Amino acid sequence: MKNKIKILMATLAFAGIAMLLNGCNKFLDRKPLSATQNDLAGGSFDVKALGLYSALRNSAGFSTLPWLDFHSIRDDDAQKGSSVSDGAEINAEFEHFQYTKNDWATNTYWGDHFNMIQLANEIIHDADSLKPKDQGSLRNVGEACFFRAYAYFEMVKAYGETFLPFENFYYTQPNQQIVPNAKTGQIWALIDSDLTVASSYLPVTWATATGNSTLGRLTSGAANTLWAQTYLFRSNWARVIGLCNTVINSSQYHLDPSFTDIFKDGLNGAGKCGPESIWELVNYVGPNQSPWIATQWGTSQNVRQGGASTDWNLGWGWNVPTQVLVNAWDSTDPRRNMTILFSGQYDGGAATGGYGNTLPAYNPGVMLDQPYWNKKAYSDPQMRQFTGQIGSNGGADWIDHRILRYADVILMLAEAANETGDGATAAANLELIRSRADGDSGITRKYVPYIPFANQAQMRQAIKNERRWEFAMEGYRFYDLVRWGDAPAVLGSLGYQSKNALYPIPQPIIDQFLGKLTQNPQYP
């Protein structure tokens, strides 16, 4: 474990320095990388490639409040949280779908994603010019292609493909980025091209012959998982099945036997990049917050002190469970108390991801301002002491963002199999998730019972339910509801209309593009 942390710190430090220094299909005619354990030295673009990870960590649009606004707070199971006055504008914008064209969160989300696209474009441009052939450099190209695909996929989900500018080129002058809206299919084709390269050039694992690893760097498994997600949103079930099976057959991942262990961030890196982690944003905070190579992903979601003692100054308190989630979730499902932290109650101890503490009561202005908190971001008291993020210096900046995890591969495969008429495969994969949720206690278990296949509609609903419980508070549900066509029925009472599937382009961007970029016509 000590070796693991040393490599983590070295990698993160290098990535931080790199950020300060700082047409994928053209590579397809080259021999794909073979993942070996001896040749994982950095390539000629390694500094800039590591800068992509730094950008992910340092950009709020990927790592803190704007990401939570777009991905989680818009669903029925999560809400802003914090206090009534803190970020009050978010209530109207993201909880009640009164979208705005000019706000810090929305402008930041757009800007950070296109900044990432441009950083990736620079690496791809340089590689096209220099035509490197060493595997290290091609791995770097694979990383750049992945990040460009990841950023564009998030933007397609948020804004729609044809309302985005098509920027697959590196520019040095601001006016060079002023291009018209993408044509239909153009960005999807770029994503497919990028992920074809990434899945070919990225290693299966970064493990070396000595058993060490470079935590958080991208693999072919991450590329194939993201690719499967993109096809899930396009209802291309055959491609989803093929890519999910590729990830499964790589034998690099498995479901963590303990649901709570997935989200641990303890001393000496305990819990980071576990067996279920396909890709996560890795953070590190040292003693007295030095070094600090981290993000406020965890801080943004931890318990906010409110009127309680400074012992509970753990974070900003955003992205909290709603009463709807609490009421809808069967209390016998162990994941419920592993996901929801209840004000005024015992945290459940280690068995449910707690630490043996009782939270102050829910009493806005006097004690805690919210009745429920996201337990998947609940910070370890030992790490608070270790980092010095405690009391008046509270926070949890060392907590990782688990972006891609193996459970999603299993449930994507279940959904795609069901949609293609393979009920047996759908039920078998659904069972893997439900069995783990109940401690892998066998088919006769009573808390999260086995669900046999009866018909396609029944299994479809069972998979929808399972994604809700398995990924609660992780930012999946809003976009799931949209792609299923369920958002109007589920979110209509909150103000959702069909047009709210997409967000309007920020007005400063429309102004910057001098009329070349057309606004979504549903937001005149």
Side-chain angles (χ1 to χ4, degrees), residues 198-372:
S199 63
S200 298
Y201 288 169
L202 290 171
V204 174
T205 176
W206 284 84
T208 67
T210 61
N212 294 328
S213 61
T214 305
L215 298 183
R217 290 199 81 160
L218 291 162
T219 62
S220 59
N224 286 321
T225 300
L226 179 66
W227 209 358
Q229 286 184 349
T230 74
Y231 280 117
L232 190 77
F233 277 76
R234 290 177 278 178
S235 301
N236 188 330
W237 308 118
R239 291 293 281 144
V240 174
I241 291 169
L243 288 161
C244 288
N245 280 325
T246 297
V247 176
I248 292 167
N249 294 335
S250 73
S251 301
Q252 295 298 308
Y253 316 100
H254 62 81
L255 294 176
D256 196 314
S258 170
F259 186 75
T260 60
D261 284 355
I262 300 168
F263 307 101
K264 277 186 178 177
D265 278 273
L267 292 173
N268 296 318
K272 291 183 181 292
C273 297
E276 191 166 329
S277 176
I278 295 177
W279 184 43
E280 64 189 68
L281 171 58
V282 178
N283 298 304
Y284 180 78
V285 179
N288 298 315
Q289 301 177 59
S290 180
W292 189 96
I293 309 167
T295 182
Q296 293 174 314
W297 168 259
T299 294
S300 64
Q301 300 179 75
N302 257 270
V303 178
R304 183 184 176 100
Q305 173 188 351
S309 71
T310 56
D311 292 343
W312 290 95
N313 181 30
L314 308 185
W316 306 340
W318 285 51
N319 193 39
V320 300
T322 62
Q323 193 66 52
V324 169
L325 176 64
V326 173
N327 293 345
W329 206 337
D330 187 337
S331 62
T332 64
D333 186 335
R335 290 171 296 186
R336 182 177 184 266
N337 288 342
M338 296 174 182
T339 301
I340 303 171
L341 192 60
F342 297 82
S343 291
Q345 295 186 26
Y346 178 59
D347 67 13
T352 64
Y355 302 101
N357 296 312
T358 298
L359 278 70
Y362 168 53
N363 190 349
V366 178
M367 298 294 277
L368 298 183
D369 289 337
Q370 296 294 327
Y372 315 112

Side-chain angles (χ1 to χ4, degrees), residues 64-78:
T64 59
L65 303 184
W67 193 94
L68 294 171
D69 294 341
F70 273 87
H71 289 257
S72 191
I73 292 170
R74 285 197 285 179
D75 70 35
D76 53 331
D77 291 342

Side-chain angles (χ1 to χ4, degrees), residues 419-441:
E419 295 303 324
T420 55
D422 185 357
T425 296
N429 282 277
L430 177 66
E431 170 62 7
L432 291 175
I433 302 299
R434 291 183 65 78
S435 178
R436 189 270 297 277
D438 204 356
D440 288 320
S441 53

Side-chain angles (χ1 to χ4, degrees), residues 80-145:
K80 174 183 70 69
S82 188
S83 64
V84 173
S85 60
D86 183 33
E89 72 280 358
I90 299 302
N91 293 315
E93 290 175 51
F94 290 96
E95 292 183 15
H96 296 289
F97 304 99
Q98 297 172 28
Y99 291 167
T100 178
K101 297 178 186 176
N102 192 0
D103 177 70
W104 172 81
T106 55
N107 297 349
T108 298
Y109 192 82
W110 179 286
D112 286 350
H113 281 73
F114 274 99
N115 178 62
M116 181 69 80
I117 289 167
Q118 183 60 195
L119 292 173
N121 282 340
E122 182 177 3
I123 296 172
I124 295 163
H125 170 270
D126 290 350
D128 281 340
S129 298
L130 298 175
K131 304 192 184 316
K133 298 185 182 297
D134 64 286
Q135 289 190 330
S137 295
L138 295 182
R139 271 195 300 275
N140 296 152
V141 173
E143 290 173 296
C145 289

Side-chain angles (χ1 to χ4, degrees), residues 177-201:
Q177 74 172 125
I178 299 176
V179 295
N181 300 60
K183 297 177 182 178
T184 301
Q186 204 169 23
I187 292 177
W188 282 123
L190 181 65
I191 288 172
D192 288 337
S193 173
D194 282 351
L195 292 176
T196 298
V197 173
S199 63
S200 298
Y201 288 169

Side-chain angles (χ1 to χ4, degrees), residues 373-388:
W373 310 91
N374 181 7
K375 201 170 186 179
K376 290 178 177 177
Y378 188 28
S379 61
D380 186 333
Q382 289 186 314
M383 283 298 295
R384 297 176 212 157
Q385 291 285 350
F386 174 76
T387 61

